[in-house]
Amino acid sequence: MAEIALHARRLRKQFGGVRAVSDVSIDVHANEVHAVIGPNGAGKSTLINLLSGELFVNAGSIMLGEVDITGLAPDQRARAGLGRAYQKTTIFPRFSVHENVRLAAQARSHAPLRMFGGIATNDEVNRRTDAAIAKAGLAGRESIVANLLSHGEQRQLEIAMVLATDPKIILLDEPLAGMGQAEARAIIALIASLKQGRAVLIVEHDMDAVFELADRLTVMHDGHVIATGVPAEVRLHPAVREAYLGNHGDAA
Amino acid sequence: MRARPRLPSWLVPFLCLMAAVALPFWVPTYYTQFASKALIMGMLAMALNLAVGQGGLVSLCHAAFFGVAGYVLALTSPKYDAASLLLTLPLAVLASGLAALAIGALALRTRGVYFIMVTLAFGEMLYFFFHDTGIGGGSDGAFINLKPEIAIAGRQLLDLDKPMAFYFVVLAFTVGVIALLLMLVRSPFGHALAAARDNERRARSLGFPIFRIRLIAFTISGALAGLAGYFAAAQFGFVAPEMLGWHQSATVLAMVLIGGLQSVTGPLLGALVLLGLEEVLKANLAQWKLAEGLIVIAIVLALPNGVRQLWPLLFGQPRQKPSSGKVAPETGRG
């Protein structure tokens, strides 16, 4: 079996009396795309926020490789090797594409807060910046100010920024939301290529994309995991058909 | 775009510096003193702009850091002797820096309007500390009878009582502050600070320790405000609690807005404009404060990016080199 990049055990998160996530365990394997699906309110976004550190768990533990990151703040988790993209595109809108990605590479460099010298002097940062821009398909667009990009390109930019931090695992929250067909095809291809050498966890509503991309699926319902495994198995799982896909046949 | 020959980028700063050096030889002493005062306020405004413009941290307590350094000079000055600048200046800057570190460590846990209010509250606390206790003469303030001297082993190197010598020392420190701020703003640290200003969530999730970055910037900003406060106290030979009050903080914020948030030297220009305006209006109008207020409002409305916006209008020079698009538009330029 492949190496486990992220291992979350029995996570619980309560908002007042509501258990948004209870007893959720998930193993994300390296070199795989792991999709989390479930109806609205199933706790998917809460789960991704627990993993990235924007919310802290009430119980449970999160291991990134061999490192326990349960108590770490989001920036510390990022430096430990966890990258995330948001449901609503989150970039530096007034900076150029190049500067957006360069900042990401800088954040993971050896001296991210150096106070002297220019910003272009670190060869390692420059190399990772250029590589991430090329990988995300934004070569030639470097000098454009980020808020002038199309919605799809802003998504690509956000993924390029995550890539430039050289993460061990990437969390993607609904990467296809609000995207046209052609744009979506490009992003799907990009996401499929991300798993080489790292793990990808994706929350997505587009079932076609999920079944195309996912090597492994976890289905959530009411804050619980009701099934997890390879897509072909999960699809046939009775509880999944009951709770999520409904009895109307194959939603995929 | 108009095809005009572009001036080399070093030319304008160089000419400004030459003019500043030549100034005291051409104008009466009064104006040399006025120029010293303007440079000191310019230093304060540039220091504040590191927090406001680059960091997005609108602080209403920078006058307190300014005043703390002034009080350090007043309290360390012997009654009938001059204090040593080489000793008291670092002490004053250190005291302001520590005050900024302590206040920043608490205030930076809040955001936006709350941050403004918390800094205002801390600034007022320091104001009342000097106002209501006997330290430094309470509400009456304290005199600094003799300007600090620059002396090594008892030999005086520069007599700061001479307005011209004082002016050149202030000018040298102003140039130093500009150089330091330019270095910071263009460094990876400065870019990280600006990134956190534009999108805190993204900066954090990339791995930048936001709180630490902002606290460092706020502390440096406060320490530089202290540098300005030290010279202000030395120039006037007097410190009073008003030096720390929010009124002063707001005035400096107005200088920053007049000069423009987006460059290192803009606030210096803003200080020159505001103080120059005051000087002219005071001499000619009884209701000069009213006129000043209206003009400041007009400037801020007409030139939202500061008076430096006039530059391309007057000289038709593009602000941004089209070829160097990799440079982010709002990172500071000389």
Side-chain angles (χ1 to χ4, degrees):
Chain A
M1 183 174 278
E3 177 197 349
I4 293 174
L6 183 112
H7 176 71
R9 220 181 122 262
R10 308 199 64 174
L11 302 183
R12 181 161 62 87
K13 180 66 185 177
Q14 252 168 266
F15 298 109
V18 182
R19 284 200 172 183
V21 164
S22 54
D23 255 350
V24 167
S25 297
I26 192 166
D27 286 338
V28 187
H29 299 252
N31 303 310
E32 283 189 8
V33 173
H34 190 133
V36 177
I37 58 173
N40 285 327
K44 308 184 298 292
S45 288
T46 306
L47 174 65
I48 221 166
N49 283 331
L50 291 175
L51 296 179
S52 72
E54 301 217 345
L55 295 172
F56 284 105
V57 293
N58 295 120
S61 68
I62 308 167
M63 302 286 292
L64 183 63
E66 299 298 308
V67 186
D68 186 346
I69 61 167
T70 316
L72 297 188
D75 56 310
Q76 294 171 315
R77 293 190 194 193
R79 292 198 294 279
L82 187 147
R84 91 165 275 188
Y86 291 89
Q87 188 170 349
K88 188 168 176 296
T89 308
T90 302
I91 53 178
F92 303 116
R94 296 194 291 164
F95 290 124
S96 69
V97 167
H98 184 274
E99 180 57 12
N100 265 280
V101 182
R102 199 203 57 74
L103 273 162
Q106 176 190 323
R108 272 304 290 280
S109 66
H110 293 297
L113 302 181
R114 196 160 43 83
M115 291 191 164
F116 49 87
I119 51 163
T121 52
N122 188 326
D123 292 335
E124 166 65 14
V125 167
N126 293 338
R127 191 190 59 72
R128 251 185 305 127
T129 304
D130 294 338
I133 288 175
K135 171 96 177 163
L138 287 169
R141 308 283 281 164
E142 288 95 337
S143 61
I144 296 174
V145 176
N147 65 356
L148 299 178
L149 294 175
S150 71
H151 178 64
E153 283 179 319
Q154 290 187 349
R155 278 276 162 193
Q156 285 168 268
L157 173 58
E158 195 174 5
I159 290 173
M161 292 166 78
V162 174
L163 275 176
T165 64
D166 198 15
K168 297 188 185 83
I169 178 166
I170 299 178
L171 312 180
L172 299 172
D173 196 355
E174 298 198 25
L176 302 176
M179 203 165 276
Q181 195 60 36
E183 283 181 323
R185 292 310 315 165
I187 297 288
I188 289 170
L190 176 57
I191 293 170
S193 72
L194 292 180
K195 65 180 178 183
Q196 297 306 324
R198 56 183 86 78
V200 178
L201 181 91
I202 171 175
V203 168
E204 182 52 59
H205 278 298
D206 181 337
M207 284 303 125
D208 291 335
V210 164
F211 281 101
E212 182 177 341
L213 282 169
D215 300 297
R216 210 170 288 267
L217 265 179
T218 292
V219 185
M220 287 183 73
H221 185 61
D222 280 343
H224 294 270
V225 170
I226 55 172
T228 189
V230 296
E233 287 171 21
V234 170
R235 189 183 272 194
L236 300 172
H237 197 289
V240 175
R241 300 182 73 89
E242 177 74 27
Y244 183 45
L245 301 172
N247 286 319
H248 311 299
D250 198 340
Chain B
M1 201 175 294
R2 279 168 286 183
R4 291 203 195 186
R6 276 180 54 78
L7 301 166
S9 59
W10 53 266
L11 190 67
V12 174
F14 178 76
L15 290 178
C16 287
L17 185 62
M18 285 301 104
V21 169
L23 181 83
F25 299 102
W26 293 94
V27 300
T29 305
Y30 175 80
Y31 288 105
T32 304
Q33 287 168 330
F34 174 78
S36 300
K37 180 181 155 194
L39 287 179
I40 290 167
M41 293 314 286
M43 262 196 266
L44 175 56
M46 287 191 290
L48 175 62
N49 194 37
L50 177 65
V52 177
Q54 195 71 11
L57 308 166
V58 180
S59 158
L60 273 179
C61 65
H62 267 56
F65 307 139
F66 181 75
V68 161
Y71 269 94
V72 168
L73 174 62
L75 296 173
T76 55
S77 290
K79 196 154 188 179
Y80 302 110
D81 217 349
S84 159
L85 181 130
L86 300 178
L87 217 65
T88 53
L89 178 62
L91 201 64
V93 171
L94 186 71
S96 294
L98 286 176
L101 181 68
I103 291 175
L106 296 167
L108 286 170
R109 294 172 196 281
T110 62
R111 300 280 179 278
V113 178
Y114 299 99
F115 179 79
I116 300 175
M117 299 321 283
V118 171
T119 55
L120 174 66
F122 277 116
E124 290 301 277
M125 269 167 63
L126 281 172
Y127 166 83
F128 282 110
F129 174 75
F130 287 106
H131 189 273
D132 293 352
T133 65
I135 300 169
S139 60
D140 293 337
F143 285 97
I144 300 157
N145 294 323
L146 289 160
K147 282 197 169 62
E149 61 173 7
I150 304 176
I152 291 173
R155 267 196 53 184
Q156 196 180 47
L157 302 176
L158 258 177
D159 183 3
L160 294 188
D161 269 327
K162 289 193 181 126
M164 200 188 276
F166 185 82
Y167 171 79
F168 278 116
V169 170
V170 170
L171 180 62
F173 273 97
T174 306
V175 171
V177 167
I178 293 173
L180 179 74
L181 289 173
L182 280 177
M183 183 188 82
L184 275 180
V185 162
R186 291 170 178 177
S187 73
F189 176 83
H191 280 243
L193 181 64
R197 170 198 66 200
D198 280 4
N199 192 337
E200 178 175 344
R201 194 182 203 199
R202 174 38 81 196
R204 178 174 289 120
S205 68
L206 289 178
F208 286 116
I210 306 298
F211 180 77
R212 199 193 319 160
I213 290 173
R214 287 183 171 161
L215 187 57
I216 292 169
F218 194 76
T219 304
I220 294 174
S221 172
L224 292 177
L227 180 67
Y230 179 90
F231 283 112
Q235 180 172 28
F236 299 120
F238 178 67
V239 290
E242 281 67 41
M243 201 176 168
L244 293 85
W246 73 270
H247 208 273
Q248 172 89 324
S249 288
T251 306
V252 183
L253 205 53
M255 290 174 181
V256 170
L257 291 175
I258 291 172
L261 293 160
Q262 297 179 3
S263 70
V264 164
T265 50
L268 175 62
L269 197 61
L272 290 174
V273 169
L274 191 67
L275 291 174
L277 194 64
E278 264 185 33
E279 199 67 18
V280 172
L281 292 175
K282 252 185 209 171
N284 299 304
L285 266 180
Q287 300 84 1
W288 65 274
K289 282 233 167 191
L290 179 64
E292 185 189 13
L294 291 174
I295 294 173
V296 167
I297 291 171
I299 292 176
V300 173
L301 283 179
L303 303 167
N305 291 322
V307 285
R308 285 181 59 118
Q309 251 181 312
L310 285 174
W311 183 254
L313 295 179
L314 292 176
F315 299 98
Q317 194 183 21
R319 291 284 294 129
Q320 199 72 32
K321 282 183 242 169
S323 58
S324 66
K326 284 181 182 182
V327 179
E330 73 278 18
T331 52
R333 320 215 59 168

